[in-house]
Amino acid sequence: MSKCRNISAILFIIGLTISIWAFFAEPNSFRIREQTITIDSWPEACNNKKVAILADLHVGSPYKGVDSLRWLVDEVNASLPDLILLPGDFVIQGVAGGSFVSPEEVAEILEELKAPMGVFAVLGNHDWWLDAKRVEKAFADRGITVLEDRSAKLNSGACKLRLVGLSDFWEGPHDIAQAMDGIDTAESILAFTHNPDIFPELPKQISLTIAGHTHGGQVYLPFIGRPIVPSRYGQRYAIGHIEEGGKNLYVSPGVGTSILPVRFLVPPEVTLLAISSN
């Protein structure tokens, strides 16, 4: 009987420790994680350009409020990225313990982001659920370019890229032909979007596609995987660098939380991606 009580006590302590970690310690954490990936089709003149990916901010989700966002912006600027991409889901709806923050207030803070090659955004499904036109206007009013199914030319010395923004796979038109309109076959293309499920439909001309949306599943269980990933492909495009069919995708786990304020072995992060051809 005493042995059973001891085992029960140990299991209770383990369960309590995991719960504290998953519902408080990890979602309350933050890191800028530097990641280097190699892509054969990447232009050599753009080698090691640093791209900061601020995905799924979900401002107002637990531990990720306005003050946290201001601090995050300062940390990102201090990391000196060449380009900053904001792949959507700036607002929240219905996260337990969360509090709605308007897109106007979010954009006012994100306006302070600085990168020599620019700061660009696309909208996520939560932004569409709120009001896509309102969110886009809030960002445009603060000088942040929103690329919804369109592109922009990027130049930094000898490095020349075409940045393509694709609207959300669930809620946006995600018109690939429109986004690629006017792009020469010789141009090097970096694309970004919210939801990675569009990846199989994209042309091989795109050197790299960057996405968010999945939050890396928010929870990773050793030997089991990620129980819930909001994707028709399950864990296939859940997180990190994916090479498939001669194409490359990078999915950031993002910063905020959705539905439940939980993260376990998938810490919140801004990904600082260095891309090289060799």
Side-chain angles (χ1 to χ4, degrees):
M1 196 68 176
S2 175
K3 185 177 181 180
C4 288
R5 281 199 298 268
N6 289 340
I7 293 173
S8 296
I10 291 170
L11 292 175
F12 173 78
I13 292 169
I14 292 172
L16 181 61
T17 301
I18 291 173
S19 297
I20 292 171
W21 182 261
F23 285 92
F24 175 73
E26 190 163 309
N28 192 34
S29 69
F30 171 74
R31 65 181 183 177
I32 294 180
R33 187 171 79 94
E34 297 188 20
Q35 175 76 24
T36 300
I37 62 173
T38 301
I39 297 172
D40 290 340
S41 61
W42 189 251
E44 188 174 348
C46 299
N47 276 358
N48 298 314
K49 291 293 185 185
K50 295 190 294 183
V51 182
I53 308 168
L54 284 68
D56 301 285
L57 293 173
H58 287 294
V59 184
S61 57
Y63 318 116
K64 305 301 175 187
V66 169
D67 290 340
S68 173
L69 182 62
R70 289 195 181 97
W71 181 81
L72 180 151
V73 166
D74 289 341
E75 291 295 304
V76 170
N77 285 339
S79 72
L80 301 176
D82 297 288
L83 173 67
I84 296 175
L85 300 181
L86 308 169
D89 270 7
F90 304 104
V91 298
I92 61 164
Q93 290 97 6
V95 181
S99 178
F100 177 76
V101 177
S102 75
E104 291 79 13
E105 189 170 5
V106 172
E108 181 181 2
I109 298 169
L110 293 178
E111 181 184 17
E112 298 301 317
L113 287 168
K114 306 297 179 188
M117 295 178 74
V119 180
F120 297 87
V122 292
L123 306 185
N125 54 290
H126 281 264
D127 308 315
W128 280 85
W129 292 342
L130 176 67
D131 185 335
K133 289 184 178 179
R134 177 184 173 185
V135 178
E136 185 168 357
K137 182 180 185 301
F139 278 63
D141 286 349
R142 293 290 176 175
I144 298 172
T145 303
V146 181
L147 290 179
E148 290 281 287
D149 295 330
R150 58 194 186 97
S151 68
K153 290 184 177 181
L154 304 182
N155 297 286
S156 177
C159 173
K160 300 183 186 303
L161 288 170
R162 180 76 76 141
L163 178 65
V164 170
L166 295 156
S167 61
D168 182 57
F169 184 75
W170 282 359
E171 302 296 335
H174 55 277
D175 188 329
I176 299 170
Q178 178 178 304
M180 298 287 289
D181 185 52
I183 299 177
D184 189 270
T185 55
E187 290 186 77
S188 299
I189 302 172
L190 171 64
F192 77 122
T193 190
H194 179 64
N195 189 327
D197 281 11
I198 197 174
F199 182 61
E201 302 177 21
L202 299 181
K204 287 187 177 181
Q205 186 186 356
I206 297 175
S207 295
L208 172 66
T209 302
I210 289 171
H213 178 66
T214 65
H215 301 195
Q218 287 191 190
V219 172
Y220 173 74
L221 301 177
F223 310 111
I224 296 174
R226 306 170 198 277
I228 299 174
V229 179
S231 168
R232 63 166 61 176
Y233 298 103
Q235 300 189 54
R236 181 170 158 186
Y237 303 138
I239 192 171
H241 184 197
I242 298 106
E243 299 178 71
E244 187 176 279
K247 301 187 295 184
N248 288 269
L249 171 69
Y250 192 91
V251 182
S252 172
V255 175
T257 53
S258 182
I259 303 177
L260 289 176
V262 59
R263 279 185 180 262
F264 185 71
L265 301 184
V266 192
E269 73 172 49
V270 166
T271 310
L272 191 63
L273 198 61
I275 311 159
S276 176
S277 60
N278 48 51

